Amino acid sequence: MRAIVQNGYGTADVLRMTEIEPPAIKADEVLVRVHAAGVDRGTWLLMTGQPYAVRLGLGLRGPRDRVAGMDVAGTVVEVGAAVTRFAVGDDVFGTARGSFAELAAARQNTLALKPATLSYEEAAVVAVSGVTALQALRDVGRVRAGQHVLVIGASGGVGTYAVQLAKAFGAEVTGVCSTEKVDLVRSLGSDHVIDYRTADFGTGGHRYDLILDIGGDSSLTRLRRALTPRGTLVIVGGSLDGKWLGLGRQARAVALSLFVRQRLTMVIAKQRHPDMETLAELIGTGRVAPVVEATYPLADAPEAVRHVGAGKTRGKVAIRV
């Protein structure tokens, strides 16, 4: 089968398309014929091998799992002996080992049935970013109807889901983005949009019950000034202040939270099928929709990853297999 593989860490130049053997599946896994894959910033970070601590789990000199990609949408072509949730022929979406390939192995508890209303490309960009946004808002942020929610990084992969989900939960939402993405964030249902190039969310006098800071670099002092006295800050994604652990700001936030009334925390998302089924239901009712900026053919996957790594994506990027 055709697949995008990497033998070492580095820029998108380490990715190349080649022919390899299809993956073998375990008892609790299914084999998916991949129709589309999603590109998330995590894929870019895994490609670079940063923060360096991730190499302890992935492989010191290069990834043990050579095929890139996590987000997937496709059709089940084989099921393991312990699989009970899917049958051959089911259209599914979720995460898999090495989705930048014609075939990928996936655990049954990281997949859900694909909503019929979505194309494969749309379904392929839901799991990683959508589940992260859902868990950040609902599980960690404990969002409630009527709250004022600030989403910093509202135009990116996680941010576009976070804006829509916060609205679905009944919150009043303010999105922060760059000038050229204001219209996009407003179209997602954001009640207010702050262009960070012309305004500062921390100096307008408004206070928020919940702030999601997605891959940002604002100081904790600045973020706390924008919170209500008992508000919650959820940091999503790694810090920009360290290549070794990538969690410096998160660690400081959690430590500081012990001494202040505000709740300062972070999210480490876990892929689980009930959350993907929740997203599928919200998508089916029209309250949430994937935002796909561009679709690349499999051969151009390195360019797709390079584009996402540049940090200028409007929503998500998909790969057609």
Side-chain angles (χ1 to χ4, degrees):
M1 69 174 188
R2 295 181 304 150
I4 301 294
V5 303
Q6 67 175 98
N7 294 317
Y9 300 113
T11 68
D13 293 334
V14 302
L15 301 175
R16 61 186 181 88
M17 188 163 75
T18 188
E19 294 275 343
I20 63 172
E21 290 298 314
I25 60 171
K26 300 175 183 178
D28 65 339
E29 293 182 332
V30 302
L31 187 65
V32 178
R33 181 165 301 283
V34 181
H35 298 309
V39 186
D40 64 281
R41 191 162 177 81
T43 298
W44 180 80
L45 290 171
L46 294 178
M47 176 191 72
T48 64
Q50 294 184 15
Y52 296 131
V54 303
R55 301 188 186 192
L56 297 175
L58 300 176
L60 293 178
R61 296 185 177 181
R64 284 185 287 272
D65 294 328
R66 297 170 57 224
V67 184
M70 293 183 288
D71 265 325
V72 70
T75 304
V76 175
V77 295
E78 184 181 345
V79 298
V83 171
T84 58
R85 298 184 56 242
F86 302 106
V88 171
D90 285 343
D91 280 340
V92 295
F93 77 105
T95 57
R97 299 198 318 270
S99 61
F100 292 3
E102 292 179 316
L103 294 165
R107 289 182 292 126
Q108 65 171 335
N109 62 358
T110 67
L111 296 174
L113 292 173
K114 183 181 79 69
T117 56
L118 292 186
S119 67
Y120 289 111
E121 290 80 8
E122 291 170 327
V125 302
V126 172
V128 171
S129 295
V131 166
T132 299
L134 178 64
Q135 293 178 6
L137 282 165
R138 184 194 62 192
D139 302 341
V140 180
R142 303 169 189 169
V143 66
R144 300 189 305 274
Q147 287 188 321
H148 290 216
V149 175
L150 180 70
V151 179
I152 304 172
S155 62
V158 176
T160 51
Y161 285 108
V163 169
Q164 296 178 82
L165 287 167
K167 287 298 297 180
F169 290 137
E172 180 176 326
V173 181
T174 299
V176 179
C177 63
S178 60
T179 308
E180 58 270 19
K181 300 175 183 178
V182 167
D183 289 344
L184 168 64
V185 175
R186 187 173 288 117
S187 73
L188 298 172
S190 187
D191 300 286
H192 315 282
V193 182
I194 296 175
D195 178 354
Y196 66 74
R197 291 177 179 166
T198 61
D200 186 346
F201 67 82
T203 60
H206 194 83
R207 297 295 177 262
Y208 301 92
D209 303 296
L210 171 61
I211 296 177
L212 262 60
D213 187 16
I214 304 169
D217 57 0
S218 297
S219 69
L220 294 179
T221 299
R222 182 181 176 211
L223 291 164
R224 288 188 61 214
R225 279 200 302 264
L227 275 177
T228 58
R230 294 188 179 275
T232 297
L233 165 68
V234 180
I235 300 176
V236 183
S239 301
L240 303 178
D241 59 357
K243 293 183 178 181
W244 290 98
L245 294 176
L247 296 174
R249 195 166 58 119
Q250 288 91 325
R252 293 194 298 273
V254 172
L256 179 60
S257 190
L258 298 174
F259 304 99
V260 298
R261 290 186 297 168
Q262 294 164 327
R263 188 166 160 265
L264 315 175
T265 186
M266 59 184 286
V267 61
I268 300 177
K270 297 179 180 179
Q271 292 295 314
R272 51 199 187 199
H273 69 85
D275 288 341
M276 282 179 286
E277 289 167 352
T278 295
L279 290 169
E281 179 182 356
L282 289 166
I283 290 169
T285 58
R287 287 179 287 175
V288 173
V291 177
V292 181
E293 178 194 56
T295 300
Y296 293 76
L298 181 61
D300 291 342
E303 184 58 36
V305 176
R306 186 178 290 111
H307 175 65
V308 170
K312 298 181 180 180
T313 309
R314 299 166 58 94
K316 298 285 295 183
V317 169
I319 293 173
R320 184 181 299 112
V321 181

